[in-house]
Amino acid sequence: MKRTILTYGLISGAIIILGMIATIVLSAKHSLFLGYLIMLVGLSAILLAVKSHRDKALGGVIKFWPAFLIGLGVAVVAGLAYVAIWEGYLAITHYRFMDDYTAQMLAAKKAEGLSGAAYDKLAAEMAQMTKNYANPLYRMPMTFAEIFPVGLLVALVSAVLLRNPKFLPARA
């Protein structure tokens, strides 16, 4: 079971972070929808991990809690892989992400017509966020918190679906 969790968790984390980095590198815009879609696609490995364990180790039958715990394990490993690879990406790019993101956000708001005190307030908030993000004790849990709730939800749905042996039954 540990091997399944580790394997599928690392695969999931790698898919997600590579998708995220590709969108950052290839696109000037950061889309929340696209980011969560990439997470959902990568975290579909949770369903595959639970199904694999159910079919190979348990003969095609699994109860809710063991299925949920496997999914949770994969979500934790994927989250940790996501954080580790993101930290590597930040180091390679000399931690420019937040400066670039802040500049892009401020430019977009200015283009929308935001000015005066409202713009100054936003700029101050973004400067504080950039300062906070420079601290790894702030940044790493925040990065993990981006992905883990999605993994938790996918683990829950996977456990509910796969506890029924008729859902994606094992091949004979």
Side-chain angles (χ1 to χ4, degrees):
M1 180 165 52
K2 290 177 187 175
R3 182 182 173 119
T4 300
I5 289 171
L6 189 59
T7 301
Y8 284 92
L10 291 173
I11 290 168
S12 178
I15 289 169
I16 295 163
I17 197 64
L18 292 175
M20 296 292 195
I21 291 172
T23 60
I24 291 169
V25 171
L26 299 175
S27 172
K29 284 186 153 184
H30 300 285
S31 167
L32 199 59
F33 174 76
L34 180 59
Y36 280 102
L37 180 62
I38 291 168
M39 285 183 195
L40 198 56
V41 168
L43 288 167
S44 66
I46 291 171
L47 181 79
L48 300 175
V50 175
K51 181 180 176 355
S52 172
H53 185 70
R54 178 191 75 177
D55 295 348
K56 292 178 183 171
L58 302 176
V61 178
I62 193 167
K63 292 186 179 195
F64 173 80
W65 286 110
F68 180 66
L69 292 175
I70 290 169
L72 201 58
V74 173
V76 168
V77 171
L80 294 174
Y82 178 74
V83 170
I85 296 170
W86 181 249
E87 287 296 314
Y89 171 78
L90 289 175
I92 288 168
T93 60
H94 306 288
Y95 298 91
R96 283 191 339 256
F97 172 77
M98 204 58 187
D99 293 330
D100 294 346
Y101 178 74
T102 298
Q104 182 183 15
M105 289 295 292
L106 291 174
K109 292 297 182 181
K110 191 172 236 179
E112 290 174 6
L114 189 67
S115 63
Y119 180 83
D120 293 340
K121 181 180 180 221
L122 178 64
E125 289 171 358
M126 295 299 289
Q128 182 62 44
M129 193 164 93
T130 300
K131 181 182 175 197
N132 291 342
Y133 200 77
N135 179 354
L137 295 176
Y138 174 85
R139 181 179 62 244
M140 288 178 172
M142 191 169 112
T143 303
F144 186 80
E146 289 173 13
I147 188 171
F148 186 70
V150 180
L152 187 65
L153 182 62
V154 173
L156 182 66
V157 170
S158 297
V160 167
L161 293 174
L162 289 170
R163 70 187 170 103
N164 180 354
K166 293 178 184 173
F167 182 77
L168 299 174
R171 294 186 181 161

